Amino acid sequence: MKKRLVVLLVVIILVVIPSVVFGAEDTVESAIDTVWVLIAAFLVFFMQAGFAMVESGFTRAKNASNIIMKNMMDVAIGSLVYFAIGFGIMFGADKFGLFGTTGFFGTGLTAEFLGLNIPLEAFLIFQTVFAATAATIVSGAMAERTKFSSYIIYSFVISIVIYPVVGHWIWGGGWLSNLGMVDFAGSTVVHSVGGWAALVGASILGPRIGKYNKEGKPNAIPGHNITMGALGVFILWFGWFGFNPGSTVSGMDSSIGFIAMTTNLAAAAGGVVTMFLTWIKYKKPDVSMTLNGVLAGLVGITAGCASVSLWGAMAIGAIAGVVVVFGVEFLEKVLKVDDPVGAVAVHGFCGATGTMLVGLFATEGGLFYGGGFELLGIQALGVLAVAAWTLGTSFLLFQTIKKFNGLRVEEHNEVAGLDIGEHGSVAYGDFQMKSLETLGK
């Protein structure tokens, strides 16, 4: 009885009274939209835990604390600088179709200006966790040999300018938005930006010690906890139901269920195709690659999750599952880029591929649906423009960091592990101490 009274009181305070004072329909709709956007934001925030688990599990135990610190700082630093500068560049009043000029430090922008039916703060927290996602993608690709101080500088810059500029082009009323580019939840805005930055960072940084033999052939360096990595993938898959459906920014939008379905089907298709492909290529179904296949499907569908059919979603996921396998091999064997977790292939290659495939599979304007080549051309232009911007700015950033601060840790710290070398601690204290004692006997 008491519980019912409490629930009734909450309903009266949150719904009935505001409805009477301000108008029932608008208030209820706004309340539902706000709650939905906040729930979606919290799901996307939880994806940081997924990234941390994937990156930590796919790398060695001696670097686990360093991985966790980098993921934590991506959120912490990103939240501060995106609020101060990044949000304004992304959604402020447009200048030349390139960047925003208002909304810095939480001032000068209103929900009405942005055409929102929710409080500005709800939209801001939703966009903040997206910015943190873009930043943290680079962590895995540069894992096990990057100076922590240098990574902090990178995280600051991508959150304050590199990512927001791309966001303005496509989501903030910029030139690609005006052309009609479709990137509903960020295959390019979020994932390709992180993937291209990761490619540049890992290339400049160089491979881990022992990754390549004298003949230049890659050696496998297994991660220390595949179970942790799998948990991370499940968390990310779960969080993606906030990432994609949440991008409607409306709990009243009837397409939420459809978007959730396209998201799930693409993830499933990516995982299944990757499993069978590795089974054929390597004679055994590869666990870590299959996990990345699921993520590849999720990244691939993020651009077109609201624009393609259910069958189109499965096709995009399946194609992404193929791209990630050959993408990892291309990076490792041809370009000699050491990416411990496959971040470049998953986010960079599959993000670009998924964005392009919207031009084929979109039910309105897609080539396969009689729309001709116009949308496909716009998608291709957007992918190339974002790649050029991100590769160029990231190259300047990492080369500057390398010159003035150094990018890579010293060899003895890399061998001992970044947990000790960079943080003076270990992730698995009791286990690692016993192992060291055993080796000393």
Side-chain angles (χ1 to χ4, degrees):
M1 186 65 180
K2 289 182 179 180
K3 289 183 179 180
R4 291 180 181 177
L5 289 173
V6 170
V7 171
L8 179 61
L9 182 61
V10 170
V11 170
I12 291 173
I13 293 173
L14 295 183
V15 178
V16 176
I17 295 175
S19 297
V20 172
V21 175
F22 299 107
E25 186 175 342
D26 290 344
T27 302
V28 172
E29 183 176 335
S30 178
I32 292 172
D33 289 348
T34 301
V35 170
W36 167 242
V37 170
L38 289 176
I39 290 173
F42 303 153
L43 285 171
V44 177
F45 180 89
F46 190 51
M47 288 173 71
Q48 290 293 330
F51 280 113
M53 295 299 98
V54 169
E55 294 168 15
S56 180
F58 282 11
T59 53
R60 289 169 288 186
K62 62 184 181 180
N63 300 301
S65 290
N66 177 256
I67 292 287
I68 299 301
M69 278 290 287
K70 289 193 295 183
N71 278 270
M72 179 69 73
M73 287 302 102
D74 282 330
V75 179
I77 292 174
S79 294
L80 296 173
V81 301
Y82 186 77
F83 164 73
I85 304 295
F87 184 70
I89 291 176
M90 193 160 172
F91 291 103
D94 178 67
K95 190 73 170 180
F96 310 122
L98 298 177
F99 51 85
T101 57
T102 58
F104 304 118
F105 296 95
T107 62
L109 279 180
T110 64
E112 290 74 21
F113 175 82
L114 296 175
L116 299 171
N117 192 39
I118 59 176
L120 181 66
E121 293 79 8
F123 184 68
L124 176 55
I125 187 62
F126 185 70
Q127 293 300 330
T128 297
V129 293
F130 270 60
T133 299
T136 206
I137 289 167
V138 178
S139 171
M142 298 178 66
E144 303 200 305
R145 70 260 199 219
T146 305
K147 278 186 175 182
F148 182 67
S149 60
S150 297
Y151 185 84
I152 291 298
I153 298 170
Y154 145 78
S155 185
F156 176 89
V157 175
I158 193 173
S159 299
I160 203 170
V161 63
I162 297 176
Y163 167 78
V165 166
V166 173
H168 184 80
W169 290 357
I170 301 174
W171 290 346
W175 67 280
L176 286 173
S177 172
N178 294 330
L179 285 177
M181 183 178 179
V182 177
D183 188 11
F184 185 75
S187 287
T188 287
V189 174
V190 179
H191 297 282
S192 282
V193 167
W196 299 138
L199 174 60
V200 174
S203 299
I204 294 174
L205 191 59
R208 291 167 290 174
I209 295 171
K211 177 60 183 178
Y212 293 95
N213 60 25
K214 293 180 180 180
E215 290 75 36
K217 295 182 178 180
N219 297 315
I221 303 179
H224 82 282
N225 194 331
I226 198 69
T227 306
M228 181 185 292
L231 174 61
V233 170
F234 278 115
I235 291 173
L236 288 170
W237 194 341
F238 176 66
W240 236 284
F241 293 121
F243 207 97
N244 287 359
S247 293
T248 59
V249 199
S250 172
M252 301 292 287
D253 193 321
S254 60
S255 67
I256 289 174
F258 177 81
I259 295 171
M261 196 64 192
T262 57
T263 300
N264 193 61
L265 287 174
V272 170
V273 168
T274 300
M275 180 190 70
F276 281 113
L277 181 56
T278 57
W279 209 334
I280 294 169
K281 284 178 62 66
Y282 312 135
K283 310 305 179 186
K284 299 283 186 181
D286 188 280
V287 179
S288 61
M289 192 71 82
T290 300
L291 293 170
N292 268 338
V294 170
L295 298 180
L298 288 165
V299 170
I301 195 58
T302 298
C305 57
S307 305
V308 304
S309 68
L310 299 182
W311 288 100
M314 286 188 281
I316 290 172
I319 294 168
V322 174
V323 169
V324 73
V325 174
F326 289 101
V328 167
E329 291 188 349
F330 176 72
L331 283 167
E332 194 172 71
K333 296 178 180 180
V334 179
L335 298 184
K336 306 296 183 184
V337 173
D338 181 15
D339 178 358
V341 304
V344 176
V346 169
H347 300 278
F349 295 169
C350 291
T353 301
T355 304
M356 291 284 292
L357 290 175
V358 175
L360 301 178
F361 289 102
T363 55
E364 294 184 11
L367 180 63
F368 294 163
Y369 290 82
F373 289 93
E374 181 179 1
L375 179 58
L376 181 61
I378 292 171
Q379 297 297 103
L381 175 63
V383 166
L384 292 173
V386 171
W389 162 260
T390 309
L391 291 170
T393 53
S394 297
F395 180 81
L396 291 174
L397 171 62
F398 284 119
Q399 288 288 17
T400 301
I401 295 173
K402 182 179 180 179
K403 180 176 180 179
F404 292 101
N405 190 64
L407 195 58
R408 186 166 184 146
V409 298
E410 296 179 0
E411 182 176 340
H412 69 274
N413 283 335
E414 182 176 345
V415 172
L418 271 60
D419 287 3
I420 295 175
E422 291 288 284
H423 307 286
S425 63
V426 293
Y428 307 99
D430 188 55
F431 169 78
Q432 287 179 298
M433 289 305 297
K434 287 183 178 180
S435 298
L436 291 170
E437 290 171 4
T438 302
L439 288 172
K441 291 180 180 180

